[in-house]
Each structure stands twice: as C-alpha cells, then as structure tokens.
Amino acid sequence: LDSMAFNAAISACGKGGEWERALWLVCSMTLTKVRSNTITSSAAISACEKGGEWKQALVLFSVMVQSKVELNTISCSAAISACEKGVIACANRARLHSRACVQSA
C-alpha cells in the first residue's frame, strides 16, 4: 500500500464517521513505514472533527504543526471547526453545572 491508498481510506473513514478507524490507519502507516503527508493529516483531523472528537482533532493539528507538515485549507478549516465544537461542548457543560448549582441551592 502507498500513501494515496491510505489517504483514500482515511478520508472514507471520516465520511463514514469512523474516526477511530481513521486513526488506526494513520498508526498503520507508521508501522508499515508509509510516509504520511498533508493529505493524511488533514483527512485524520477532519475524521476526528466530524466524529465530535474535537480534542483529538486539535492534538493531530498540533502534531502537524510541530512536525512542520504543510498546512492546507482543509486542515485549518477542520481545526477551526473542532475549536467551535469544543467551545460549544464546554459551554454546554458550564450550563449544566450552573443549573445543578442553582437546583442544589
């Protein structure tokens, strides 16, 4: 297998909501010594973002930046969307917490 095959599979996993399988494929690339690239990282970030795994998406984006992998519109858009989902998740948690505090008072 080459990076194009892995990238296609990772992208398909993202579209199918299989973010865990997408990450497994990224790990498999390392084990089989197939080099990942911008498309690999972008597809994995998108898969996590679409799966609601915003923290994992941001970890992947951070690794991408630290590894000096070239960023593209897809990777940046997916990271921004993951941040939005993270803010919403945190706001929802805060709202639930404040309701619980008010009810117990």
Side-chain angles (χ1 to χ4, degrees):
L1 291 172
D2 62 3
S3 62
M4 285 179 54
F6 273 104
N7 292 344
I10 293 165
S11 181
C13 288
K15 290 176 183 167
E18 297 285 335
W19 66 271
E20 290 171 311
R21 185 163 289 158
L23 293 183
W24 180 83
L25 287 166
V26 172
C27 291
S28 295
M29 288 179 77
T30 303
L31 294 173
T32 57
K33 304 212 184 320
V34 176
R35 291 195 61 164
S36 62
N37 54 32
T38 300
I39 296 168
T40 308
S41 298
S42 297
I45 292 167
S46 291
C48 290
E49 178 271 325
K50 288 175 185 168
E53 295 297 318
W54 60 272
K55 289 179 185 176
Q56 186 63 48
L58 295 177
V59 166
L60 290 170
F61 185 77
S62 177
V63 168
M64 190 176 182
V65 170
Q66 291 172 359
S67 301
K68 297 189 180 1
V69 175
E70 184 180 340
L71 302 176
N72 65 9
T73 303
I74 296 168
S75 56
C76 292
S77 294
I80 290 167
S81 183
C83 288
E84 289 175 319
K85 288 181 179 177
V87 167
I88 291 168
C90 290
N92 288 338
R93 271 190 240 119
R95 203 172 301 120
L96 288 173
H97 180 70
S98 67
R99 284 185 194 149
C101 290
V102 169
Q103 289 174 353
S104 67

